[in-house]
Amino acid sequence: MANTPNYEVPGEMRDFAEKSVDQARKAFDSFIGAARRTADTVQGSAEAARTNAQDLSSRGFEFAEQNVNAAFDLAQKLVRSKDVQEAMQHQAEFVRTQFAAIQAQAKEFGGIAQSAMQQGAERAKSVMQESADQARKAMEQGADATRQTAQDAENATRKATS
């Protein structure tokens, strides 16, 4: 077997290596923390979108039920009408009230949809800004750690060669 020289790593170099690993771990932990917070926020956005979709669906069924009930009420009035003139009055009244009801329903439905879209857009903007800020901070920490490590390595090398 070849006899290899016994080279002892200076304490400063070991300290430097340990510090470098700690700094890298801190930078990585910061980055992962930012990524997790972003994922949680995105999940919250998806939940809000689901809730808004459920609200729209529920309200749509309520509108449909109202409109069908109005049609049944009209049918009942029509079969009880004494003559054609009374039937025509019921029909005209139904058309006026249903036209107004459908306009109100459309306005409400549009407002709900617009509000949901606006909330989603605002939340998405907020998530993106927060994610960008957190990523920038993590990268800055990593760059600072790298600069410090390089400086520490240079200092350790100078001490070791002195």
Side-chain angles (χ1 to χ4, degrees), residues 124-134 136:
K125 179 182 175 185
S126 173
V127 167
M128 294 303 290
Q129 184 63 48
E130 184 178 329
S131 297
D133 291 346
Q134 290 172 351
R136 183 173 44 256

Side-chain angles (χ1 to χ4, degrees), residues 13-26:
M13 290 293 258
R14 285 193 304 270
D15 291 344
F16 158 73
E18 188 173 333
K19 186 176 181 181
S20 296
V21 170
D22 288 344
Q23 289 173 340
R25 182 183 305 272
K26 286 178 186 174

Side-chain angles (χ1 to χ4, degrees), residues 92-140:
E93 179 185 329
F94 172 78
V95 170
R96 278 192 308 275
T97 58
Q98 275 308 106
F99 187 73
I102 289 173
Q103 281 183 320
Q105 291 167 358
K107 185 176 179 179
E108 183 179 341
F109 208 66
I112 292 170
Q114 183 178 6
S115 176
M117 288 174 50
Q118 189 173 18
Q119 287 174 357
E122 288 171 2
R123 190 164 180 98
K125 179 182 175 185
S126 173
V127 167
M128 294 303 290
Q129 184 63 48
E130 184 178 329
S131 297
D133 291 346
Q134 290 172 351
R136 183 173 44 256
K137 182 178 177 183
M139 289 183 70
E140 287 171 356

